[in-house]
Structures are given as structure tokens and as C-alpha cells.
């Protein structure tokens, strides 16, 4: 019997690919760069399943270009690249990969927080550029952790994992998340109080219409002058022009970004001229084990969908109603 056809939009880890190849006739996009949109249209035409990444815009047009499509499996926990309403209307289950990337992303948030606070990247550049002449009592002074307040916006899986790590640094943790009324080791506050009181602000919300540009001139103006902003959520949660202005004028102390709008950040972005802005290329879940597990979950979601079974991790369960 011929295997079902699927399109996988990039070379994902072998852990998931092995499973996919066993079950499907897989067309795997080999390039380093994502498939251009017209190429997605072409490659999904005859497929039953699609494995997509956060770099692929999967909207109603793509779904309609694939009349046999039974399942969309997104290898990410965030699904802002997929038009969920369009998928639900077409009764297409959409899978994601929650949980397995929680710790790696929380680790990255903490790595960025400590790096920005202690000016690690600035210090490293200083050494490389041959500027290190002596120990100086005022050289590259940073921020302290003990007794400082960490404000977490979005207290879900990753937000809670960041709070857990904060305990080891003796930080006081507050959070803003209307759907989490209380927590064992962190204090719920409203958004204004969080911005006013936090020395560190870490973002862990999904990208939605409500969270788009949640960090903007108005919210930045409410932050402390010593505040450090960390974003490992999605780029568009922060208005980068407003962030640039706040960092340039030292309205806040520093920012550390794993995600930007757009991605990649253009090489001539003025943010790259600022010493108090640290940027890495969307590496939140980029650890070997995590990516293996993400590929496995993506494969499991795909295969369940192809078999007509309920996806282990489905973000639009309404399709089963
Ligand atoms: P989650 O669903 O467990 O947690 C998100 C939390 O945000 C929820 O508790 C929700 O109630 C809250 N929330 C939603 N809208 C809000 C708002 N307007 N204000 C305050 N809180 C709000 O998700 P998660 O697994 O913790 O992942 C969070 C996000 O992190 C993902 O959606 C994804 O975009 C991002 N992420 C990024 C990387 C990376 O590589 N940088 C890796 C994993 C996840």
C-alpha cells in the first residue's frame, strides 16, 4: 500500500524524521532557508500532512492549496505562524510541541538575564578589542540579583520554570497573568504594578492580538530606570523602535532579546549599535535533547492526524467537537 504523503518544511532532527519516514512518503525541504511561499504552495499540493516551523506562514491559502491535508504539525509550542481559525473552519487539527522546550527556554531567559545584568557580552568585546589594561573599581558595573524583583509576564509553563530558577538567585518573584490567579512561590500583580516594581521583566506570553507590542513606549515608561527587559517569547511582543528609544536614552538599563521583529533582525538595525542591548538569534529551545524531543512530538502529532486519531498535543481541539 502506498504511504501517505507529507511535506516537512526543513531538515528537523533525525529522532522525528525516522518516525516520519517509517510511516510516510516524506518530502523534506533541504535548504538552510525556509521554503519560499510559492514553493510551499507547490509542495503541499498532494500531501496528507504538513510539518511546519515558526518561519512558515500557514494560512487559509496554503490549506486550500492542499485539498487532501488532514493535519498540520507545527514544531514549536507557539502557533502564531498558523491561522488557527482557518484551520478550525476546515476541520484541520493543528499540533504543537509544549513542555519539552520549557526548561531549555527558561534556561535561555536566565542566561540572557544574567548576561545583561553582569554585562558579559560587553566585557567579552572589551577583552577581544584589547581594551583590558587593568582591574578598575568602576569598570562595567552591573546589576545585583539578591533581593531584586523579577516580574514575569505570562505565568504558564515557561514563566513558572523561570520563577523556579529565580529562587536560587534569591529574587522576589511577581507575575502578571490574568488566567493564573495565584501561585505557591510568586505574587500575582496587575501589569502596572509589575512594571513599576520589577528590576527584571521577563516575557513569556504567546503572541496574540492582545500581546502584540505589549512592551511599547507607554509600558517602557512605567519601568524602573535600572530595569532589564528579557524577551524569549515572540519578537512582535516588543515594539523595537520604542525599545531602541528607551535604551538609547537610558530610560531603562538594558535589554536581552532572543526574538525580534522581524527575524532575522536586519544587519543595519540601530539596536545593534547599542551596548546595552544583547541579541541572540532565536535560540530559546536550541539544545540537542530539546530539539530531538520537539521533532518527536511533531512526528507523533503528524502520524496521529494521518491515522485520523486525536493529536497528542492539539491547539484547536474544537475540530473534534
Ligand atoms: P503557556 O501557554 O504555558 O503560557 C503562556 C501564558 O501566558 C499562559 O499562562 C497565559 O495565560 C499567559 N497569557 C496569555 N496572554 C496573556 C496576556 N495578555 N497577559 C499576560 N499573560 C498572558 O506557554 P509556554 O509553553 O510557557 O510558552 C510561552 C510562549 O513562549 C510560547 O507561546 C512561545 O511563543 C514562546 N516560546 C519561545 C521560545 C523561544 O525559542 N524563544 C521557545 C518556546 C516558547
Amino acid at each position: 500500500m502506498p504511504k501517505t504523503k507529507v511535506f516537512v518544511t526543513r531538515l528537523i532532527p533525525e529522532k522525528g524524521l525516522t518516525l516520519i519516514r517509517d510511516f510516510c512518503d516524506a518530502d523534506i525541504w533541504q535548504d538552510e532557508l525556509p521554503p519560499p511561499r510559492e514553493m510551499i504552495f507547490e509542495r503541499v499540493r498532494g500531501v496528507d500532512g504538513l510539518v511546519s516551523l515558526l518561519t512558515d506562514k500557514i494560512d487559509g491559502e496554503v490549506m486550500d492549496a492542499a485539498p487532501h491535508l488532514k493535519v498540520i504539525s507545527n514544531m514549536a509550542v507557539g502557533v502564531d505562524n498558523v491561522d488557527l481559525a482557518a484551520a478550525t473552519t476546515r476541520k484541520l487539527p493543528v499540533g504543537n510541541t509544549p513542555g519539552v522546550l520549557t526548561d531549555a527556554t527558561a534556561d535561555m531567559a536566565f542566561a540572557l538575564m544574567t548576561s545583561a545584568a553582569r554585562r558579559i557580552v560587553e566585557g567579552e568585546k572589551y577583552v577581544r578589542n584589547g581594551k583590558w589594561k587593568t582591574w578598575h573599581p568602576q569598570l562595567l558595573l552591573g546589576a545585583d540579583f539578591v533581593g531584586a524583583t523579577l516580574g514575569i509576564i505570562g505565568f504558564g509553563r515557561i514563566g513558572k520554570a523561570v520563577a523556579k530558577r529565580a529562587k536560587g538567585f534569591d529574587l522576589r518573584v511577581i507575575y502578571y497573568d490574568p488566567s493564573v490567579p495565584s501561585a505557591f512561590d510568586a505574587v500575582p500583580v496587575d501589569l502596572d504594578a509589575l512594571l513599576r516594581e520589577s528590576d527584571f521583566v521577563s516575557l513569556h506570553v504567546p503572541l496574540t492580538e492582545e500581546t502584540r507590542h505589549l512592551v511599547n513606549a507607554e509600558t517602557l515608561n512605567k519601568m524602573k530606570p535600572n530595569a532589564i527587559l528579557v524577551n524569549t517569547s515572540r519578537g512582535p511582543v516588543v515594539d523595537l523602535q520604542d525599545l531602541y528609544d528607551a535604551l538609547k536614552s537610558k530610560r531603562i538599563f538594558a535589554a536581552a532579546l532572543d526574538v525580534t521583529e522581524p527575524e532575522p533582525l536586519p544587519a543595519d538595525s540601530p539596536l545593534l549599535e547599542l551596548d546595552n542591548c544583547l541579541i541572540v538569534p532565536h535560540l530559546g529551545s536550541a539544545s540537542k535533547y530539546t530539539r530531538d524531543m520537539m521533532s518527536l512530538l511533531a512526528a507523533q502529532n503528524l502520524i496521529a492526524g494521518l491515522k485520523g486519531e486525536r493529536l497528542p498535543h492539539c491547539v484547536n481541539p474544537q475540530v473534534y467537537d
Side-chain angles (χ1 to χ4, degrees):
M1 210 175 87
K3 290 178 174 176
T4 44
K5 284 192 163 66
V6 300
F7 180 45
V8 182
T9 63
R10 216 82 62 79
L11 203 53
I12 64 172
E14 202 48 45
K15 195 105 185 157
L17 274 188
T18 305
L19 202 61
I20 294 173
R21 284 201 200 93
D22 280 352
F23 192 82
C24 318
D25 173 6
D27 173 15
I28 301 158
W29 186 256
Q30 303 285 333
D31 285 10
E32 191 191 343
L33 294 179
R37 193 162 165 77
E38 56 284 8
M39 211 31 99
I40 295 185
F41 284 127
E42 196 179 310
R43 303 292 264 267
V44 298
R45 202 161 291 144
V47 304
D48 304 281
L50 171 65
V51 176
S52 54
L53 305 185
L54 55 86
T55 40
D56 310 311
K57 184 179 171 199
I58 308 298
D59 56 12
E61 274 188 84
V62 172
M63 297 170 203
D64 290 339
H68 305 300
L69 195 62
K70 295 188 183 70
V71 55
I72 298 166
S73 174
N74 207 43
M75 199 184 101
V77 65
V79 284
D80 44 278
N81 59 305
V82 180
D83 185 337
L84 289 186
T88 307
T89 308
R90 290 161 179 79
K91 292 271 176 212
L92 280 172
V94 178
N96 73 340
T97 63
V100 294
L101 40 57
T102 297
D103 286 318
T105 311
D107 290 344
M108 177 56 85
F110 238 88
L112 289 174
M113 205 184 302
T114 48
S115 300
R118 299 307 303 272
R119 306 175 69 171
I120 305 285
V121 174
E122 274 180 90
E124 208 264 353
K125 280 188 197 151
Y126 190 85
V127 174
R128 266 181 209 272
N129 293 337
K131 291 186 179 163
W132 189 14
K133 304 286 184 237
T134 181
W135 183 91
H136 192 286
Q138 303 284 358
L139 178 66
L140 291 173
L141 302 185
D144 291 290
F145 283 88
V146 174
T149 296
L150 164 63
I152 296 177
I153 303 183
F155 208 61
R157 285 171 293 249
I158 300 171
K160 287 186 181 113
V162 169
K164 197 165 131 194
R165 284 152 180 74
K167 286 180 86 178
F169 279 69
D170 285 341
L171 284 158
R172 169 181 171 249
V173 182
I174 60 179
Y175 71 90
Y176 168 64
D177 188 330
S179 68
V180 185
S182 66
F184 168 63
D185 51 0
V187 180
V189 293
D190 62 34
L191 183 58
D192 274 7
L194 183 140
L195 298 168
R196 259 195 334 265
E197 291 177 29
S198 299
D199 302 292
F200 300 92
V201 175
S202 195
L203 305 174
H204 301 287
V205 287
L207 173 61
T208 62
E209 277 322 302
E210 205 188 322
T211 61
R212 186 177 294 277
H213 290 185
L214 184 149
V215 175
N216 54 36
E218 197 189 331
T219 43
L220 285 160
N221 268 327
K222 292 177 182 166
M223 291 187 198
K224 288 179 164 186
N226 65 301
I228 294 174
L229 174 74
V230 177
N231 188 12
T232 56
S233 64
R234 282 288 183 264
V237 175
V238 177
D239 182 321
L240 285 191
Q241 181 58 52
D242 290 354
L243 179 65
Y244 172 80
D245 294 341
L247 291 170
K248 177 86 180 164
S249 62
K250 304 269 163 57
R251 177 62 201 80
I252 66 169
F253 181 70
L257 311 174
D258 181 43
V259 287
T260 60
E261 181 189 29
E263 288 182 14
L265 192 68
D268 62 354
S269 166
L271 278 174
L272 297 172
E273 291 160 17
L274 300 177
D275 285 334
N276 57 348
C277 189
L278 191 170
I279 306 176
V280 294
H282 204 147
L283 300 175
S285 65
S287 76
K288 172 85 179 69
Y289 173 78
T290 301
R291 289 282 164 85
D292 278 353
M293 294 313 288
M294 287 168 70
S295 73
L296 196 60
L297 283 199
Q300 288 166 348
N301 279 331
L302 176 81
I303 291 165
L306 292 173
K307 286 179 172 170
E309 294 168 2
R310 200 181 175 100
L311 311 196
H313 299 283
C314 183
V315 289
N316 58 344
Q318 313 89 292
V319 295
Y320 299 116
D321 289 346

